[in-house]
Amino acid sequence: MDAKTSILDIQTVAKTRINEVDFDNLQFGKQYADHMMYCDFIDGEWQQPKIVPYGPMTFQPSAKVFHYGQAVFEGMKAFKDDDDQVWLFRPEENFKRINLSSQRMAIPEFPKDYFFESLNTLLELDKDWVKKGKGNSLYIRPFAIATEAGVSASEANEYRFMIITCPAQAYYNKPVKVVFAQEYSRAADGGVGFAKAAGNYGAQFYPTKLAKEKGLDQIIWTDASSHEYLEEAGTMNIFFRIGNQLLTAPTNDRILDGVTRKSIIQLAKDEGVEVIVDRVSVKQIVEAAKSGELKEIFGAGTAATVVRVEGFEHDGVYHDLPEVEQPYATHFKNKLQDIQYNRADDAHQWRYKV
Amino acid sequence: MDAKTSILDIQTVAKTRINEVDFDNLQFGKQYADHMMYCDFIDGEWQQPKIVPYGPMTFQPSAKVFHYGQAVFEGMKAFKDDDDQVWLFRPEENFKRINLSSQRMAIPEFPKDYFFESLNTLLELDKDWVKKGKGNSLYIRPFAIATEAGVSASEANEYRFMIITCPAQAYYNKPVKVVFAQEYSRAADGGVGFAKAAGNYGAQFYPTKLAKEKGLDQIIWTDASSHEYLEEAGTMNIFFRIGNQLLTAPTNDRILDGVTRKSIIQLAKDEGVEVIVDRVSVKQIVEAAKSGELKEIFGAGTAATVVRVEGFEHDGVYHDLPEVEQPYATHFKNKLQDIQYNRADDAHQWRYKV
């Protein structure tokens, strides 16, 4: 890599930390690759992006991100195929979405060439951190935060865009028990639920903690007004299989437009599975569970890929889901991973060669 | 102050920066007093609070506050009376509220003795930063942020509680034009609207920016489901005067339980003003504006104290508010400030001597 010809300012590590990492026992989000990118927005424009060794940074205690949650992020993964080639999966979607999130959070949009040049450079420098084998990946976390010092409650005029990466094994390794939300809510109509805005996530921690105390792993959020319709799981979109039909809620201003969600919808349609993108009522799912027509529930998201739900609680009643043969969850997870790891045809041009 | 007898670890500045500050031309939130407090939550408990010179701090880029907005804050003010005595206003309310906010955001509660000892010490050390005269104050910003390094989407196990202070003149110095929200929303039922959670504020910046582009200063948020009921202004609760009655929305899980709000309700009742704490419909306010019965709208909050609304827009129509003699806004602002600056009896024991 020739730093002189890059639009980036690149400072590499003197010595890699990769030998300190036990890649067989990774705790998600605890180990970071050698390099990171940061780029400051000052005086009305994004300055030159810098690649530097991963490490702590200095902020003013009055930086607006600490006080007003003016922050957005993305989640992506890099995969390595059997020939040591590194791939991204639909990175254009993440780029578009972080700028959509930024717009809603009054953060200036980030330039496309800076985004892709940074990703390519980071993945070139830290390619040894991307491990081969299904389930292994380098998780990529682009994010933007308001760095302006000043506690007045208005949008900042200074920001930092960053990309950090961390090696990941499968995010969730076992099926989860969920509860349908009846008291707490994730998002309001006209709010920021569709955006990957930082505050959407922190707001879920307490209700999720309460659910965990009852032995449940996650919450499926419902509409805030009536709690009658199932929306998303906070870090995953959610699919329901009734008979052989696949149901999922339409995206709206409360629901994240997930890349894994839309990929699974496409893969299912490709195979002739009937996909119904429409409001999914709690009533319908409870009745289908009782009648035995409800075959599966699964979550879909970048960090989690596809996660099978083994049962759900609603109105204090726990409903077990059946063990089905050839579950859609497993089938479409495999289909997706085969594309991600360059083991299958890529009919929709989703792979991006680094 | 004797550091040895304090529960705090105190490191004072070598030289004050107070002479660098033009107290007659303060920009809110841009200048900070000499000292700040921070206290880390590590290994399941709050460590010893430290008073140190105000300045930048080091954080991991993966600190959860940057990604998930797990952060809460408070706003308070210190006032100086004509005898150079410094006072706080109902600080117990802020203490209770930050812990209520923390609970909702899955942040551990902060100990009461740490909170008050820190406030007292900071205000003793930086008492020269509290200027006399109505409208002058030292704005106090306690806040708590998730500092744990790690991008997994769950509550942190490490936090930092901080108190920073900044000298303030009147926050808003002129009446504001507002718009009643019809598209965007601030909070969902079952959400975090009642908490001073960081993300509640960042989420308002974009809609507020759009309002400003139309020549309006602030948004009065309505209920997210129907936009039929007026709730709060994002950094202020809101009061409506119809005839001689004062109306304001009841607090609920979408609306902040403002200290200034409840103080004004009490002061109004003390004087025999009829205060109706009930849902305030947009329809009622628009009709009262048309009939001339709507005399005033004003906002109430710590930063702003009391802010007169000069007119509002709804359905694309702008309604001017009349200039009334002896407005409640001015009257109750004066009443409140007289108590805050120790110029009047304190019938409800709201003043707290530092």
Side-chain angles (χ1 to χ4, degrees):
Chain A
M1 173 144 342
D2 185 353
K4 292 184 199 71
T5 63
S6 171
I7 57 175
L8 313 175
D9 177 6
I10 300 170
Q11 180 200 336
T12 57
V13 294
K15 185 175 180 302
T16 178
R17 286 180 287 97
I18 199 166
N19 296 322
E20 299 166 16
V21 178
D22 177 1
F23 282 87
D24 294 325
N25 293 291
L26 292 169
Q27 197 187 339
F28 180 73
K30 282 296 176 191
Q31 301 281 354
Y32 294 86
D34 285 325
H35 298 90
M36 64 182 184
M37 183 278 274
Y38 76 93
C39 180
D40 287 330
F41 184 88
I42 301 170
D43 295 334
E45 58 187 349
W46 291 103
Q47 308 295 311
Q48 188 184 23
K50 294 181 203 301
I51 305 272
V52 295
Y54 180 87
M57 305 191 104
T58 293
F59 296 92
Q60 292 292 335
S62 61
K64 290 198 181 192
V65 63
F66 295 134
H67 302 268
Y68 303 127
Q70 199 187 3
V72 297
F73 71 94
E74 269 302 318
M76 310 168 67
K77 278 180 174 173
F79 307 95
K80 188 172 267 180
D81 70 17
D82 294 332
D83 298 322
D84 286 326
Q85 173 63 47
V86 175
W87 302 89
L88 291 170
F89 184 73
R90 309 185 78 174
E92 183 91 20
E93 297 293 326
N94 300 96
F95 171 71
K96 282 191 287 193
R97 194 171 58 185
I98 199 165
N99 276 343
L100 193 69
S101 299
S102 285
Q103 184 190 48
R104 181 60 181 85
M105 295 301 288
I107 295 172
E109 293 184 23
F110 195 64
K112 189 169 181 176
D113 53 343
Y114 286 12
F115 185 79
F116 280 95
E117 182 92 0
S118 299
L119 281 177
N120 277 302
T121 305
L122 282 173
L123 290 171
E124 175 62 27
L125 286 170
D126 291 334
K127 59 175 177 259
D128 293 343
W129 292 78
V130 195
K131 295 299 178 190
K132 277 192 259 197
K134 258 196 195 178
N136 294 325
S137 64
L138 189 69
Y139 183 80
I140 301 167
R141 170 55 60 87
F143 63 108
I145 54 178
T147 48
E148 183 194 349
V151 295
S152 63
S154 58
E155 71 269 24
N157 54 34
E158 293 177 7
Y159 298 88
R160 178 164 289 174
F161 194 104
M162 296 191 69
I163 303 178
I164 59 177
T165 68
C166 56
Q169 294 172 289
Y171 189 92
Y172 299 101
N173 42 23
K174 60 179 184 59
V176 294
K177 295 182 173 73
V178 302
V179 56
F180 295 171
Q182 291 186 280
E183 180 182 359
Y184 293 102
S185 303
R186 180 182 169 277
D189 286 317
V192 300
F194 71 95
K196 284 188 88 79
N200 289 343
Y201 295 79
Q204 298 178 54
F205 294 165
Y206 177 69
T208 304
K209 192 169 76 165
L210 296 181
K212 284 180 179 166
E213 287 168 6
K214 293 170 67 183
L216 302 157
D217 302 295
Q218 293 207 29
I219 297 170
I220 311 256
W221 297 104
T222 51
D223 68 291
S225 305
S226 71
H227 298 296
E228 285 175 17
Y229 297 95
L230 294 154
E231 304 209 316
E232 61 148 287
T235 59
M236 307 187 293
N237 294 105
I238 198 89
F239 286 87
F240 304 86
R241 175 183 170 187
I242 295 185
N244 288 322
Q245 286 181 332
L246 209 46
L247 283 69
T248 193
T251 57
N252 57 31
D253 63 1
R254 298 184 306 272
I255 301 181
L256 189 82
D257 183 11
V259 178
T260 310
R261 172 187 175 278
K262 69 174 104 176
S263 302
I264 285 175
I265 292 172
Q266 185 63 55
L267 291 175
K269 285 181 175 169
D270 287 352
E271 294 192 16
V273 171
E274 192 180 353
V275 184
I276 300 172
V277 179
D278 198 359
R279 295 200 302 180
V280 180
S281 77
V282 171
K283 189 161 171 257
Q284 175 185 15
I285 296 304
V286 170
E287 283 174 5
K290 286 179 182 166
S291 72
E293 284 174 294
L294 181 66
K295 302 299 182 193
E296 295 178 62
I297 304 177
F298 58 89
T302 294
T305 314
V306 174
V307 178
R308 197 166 73 80
V309 172
E310 63 178 38
F312 67 90
E313 189 187 292
H314 178 67
D315 264 345
V317 180
Y318 184 78
H319 302 263
D320 254 319
L321 286 170
E323 290 280 346
V324 294
E325 279 180 47
Q326 298 181 302
Y328 282 181
T330 313
H331 178 73
F332 290 115
K333 182 176 186 173
N334 284 332
K335 279 269 175 193
L336 202 59
Q337 288 187 324
D338 284 343
I339 297 170
Q340 291 171 332
Y341 290 87
N342 192 25
R343 296 176 181 187
D345 262 3
D346 180 22
H348 302 285
Q349 288 88 50
W350 287 341
R351 275 195 300 264
Y352 173 94
K353 195 171 184 171
V354 174
Chain B
M1 172 141 348
D2 185 352
K4 292 185 199 71
T5 63
S6 172
I7 56 175
L8 313 174
D9 177 6
I10 300 170
Q11 179 199 338
T12 56
V13 294
K15 185 174 182 300
T16 179
R17 286 180 286 99
I18 198 165
N19 295 324
E20 300 166 15
V21 178
D22 177 0
F23 283 87
D24 294 325
N25 292 291
L26 293 169
Q27 196 188 340
F28 180 74
K30 282 295 175 191
Q31 301 281 353
Y32 294 85
D34 285 325
H35 298 89
M36 64 181 183
M37 182 279 274
Y38 77 93
C39 179
D40 287 331
F41 184 88
I42 302 171
D43 295 334
E45 59 186 348
W46 292 103
Q47 308 295 310
Q48 188 184 23
K50 295 181 200 305
I51 305 271
V52 295
Y54 180 87
M57 305 190 105
T58 293
F59 296 92
Q60 292 292 334
S62 61
K64 291 199 180 192
V65 62
F66 295 135
H67 302 268
Y68 303 127
Q70 199 187 4
V72 297
F73 71 94
E74 269 301 319
M76 310 168 66
K77 279 179 174 172
F79 307 95
K80 189 172 264 180
D81 71 15
D82 295 332
D83 298 323
D84 286 324
Q85 172 63 46
V86 176
W87 301 90
L88 291 170
F89 184 73
R90 309 185 77 175
E92 182 90 22
E93 298 293 326
N94 300 96
F95 171 72
K96 282 190 288 195
R97 195 171 57 184
I98 198 166
N99 276 342
L100 194 69
S101 299
S102 285
Q103 184 189 48
R104 181 61 182 84
M105 294 301 288
I107 295 172
E109 292 185 21
F110 196 65
K112 188 168 181 175
D113 53 343
Y114 285 12
F115 185 80
F116 280 95
E117 182 90 1
S118 298
L119 281 176
N120 277 302
T121 305
L122 282 173
L123 290 170
E124 175 63 26
L125 286 170
D126 290 335
K127 60 175 179 262
D128 293 344
W129 291 78
V130 195
K131 295 298 179 189
K132 277 192 260 197
K134 257 195 196 180
N136 294 325
S137 64
L138 189 69
Y139 182 81
I140 301 167
R141 170 56 59 88
F143 63 108
I145 54 178
T147 49
E148 184 194 349
V151 295
S152 63
S154 57
E155 71 268 26
N157 54 33
E158 293 178 7
Y159 297 89
R160 179 164 288 174
F161 194 104
M162 296 191 68
I163 304 178
I164 58 178
T165 68
C166 56
Q169 292 171 292
Y171 189 93
Y172 299 100
N173 42 23
K174 61 179 183 59
V176 293
K177 295 183 173 72
V178 301
V179 56
F180 294 171
Q182 291 186 279
E183 179 182 359
Y184 293 102
S185 302
R186 179 182 170 277
D189 287 317
V192 301
F194 70 95
K196 284 187 89 77
N200 289 342
Y201 295 78
Q204 298 177 54
F205 294 165
Y206 177 69
T208 304
K209 192 170 76 165
L210 296 182
K212 283 180 180 167
E213 286 168 7
K214 292 170 67 183
L216 302 157
D217 302 296
Q218 292 205 28
I219 297 170
I220 312 251
W221 297 103
T222 52
D223 68 292
S225 306
S226 70
H227 297 298
E228 285 176 17
Y229 297 95
L230 294 154
E231 303 211 316
E232 60 149 288
T235 60
M236 307 187 295
N237 294 106
I238 198 89
F239 286 87
F240 304 86
R241 176 182 169 187
I242 295 186
N244 288 323
Q245 286 179 334
L246 208 47
L247 284 68
T248 194
T251 56
N252 57 30
D253 63 2
R254 297 184 307 271
I255 301 181
L256 190 82
D257 183 13
V259 178
T260 310
R261 172 187 175 278
K262 69 175 104 177
S263 302
I264 286 175
I265 291 172
Q266 185 63 56
L267 291 175
K269 285 180 174 170
D270 289 352
E271 292 191 17
V273 171
E274 192 180 352
V275 184
I276 300 172
V277 178
D278 199 358
R279 295 201 300 181
V280 181
S281 76
V282 170
K283 188 161 171 257
Q284 175 185 16
I285 297 304
V286 170
E287 282 174 4
K290 286 179 182 167
S291 72
E293 283 175 294
L294 181 67
K295 302 298 182 194
E296 295 177 63
I297 304 177
F298 58 89
T302 294
T305 314
V306 174
V307 178
R308 197 166 73 79
V309 172
E310 65 179 36
F312 67 90
E313 189 187 291
H314 179 67
D315 265 345
V317 179
Y318 184 78
H319 302 264
D320 254 320
L321 285 170
E323 290 278 348
V324 295
E325 281 181 46
Q326 298 182 305
Y328 281 180
T330 313
H331 178 72
F332 290 116
K333 181 176 186 174
N334 283 332
K335 279 269 174 190
L336 201 59
Q337 289 187 324
D338 284 344
I339 297 170
Q340 291 171 331
Y341 290 86
N342 191 25
R343 295 176 181 187
D345 262 0
D346 180 22
H348 302 285
Q349 289 87 52
W350 287 340
R351 274 194 301 263
Y352 173 94
K353 194 171 185 170
V354 175

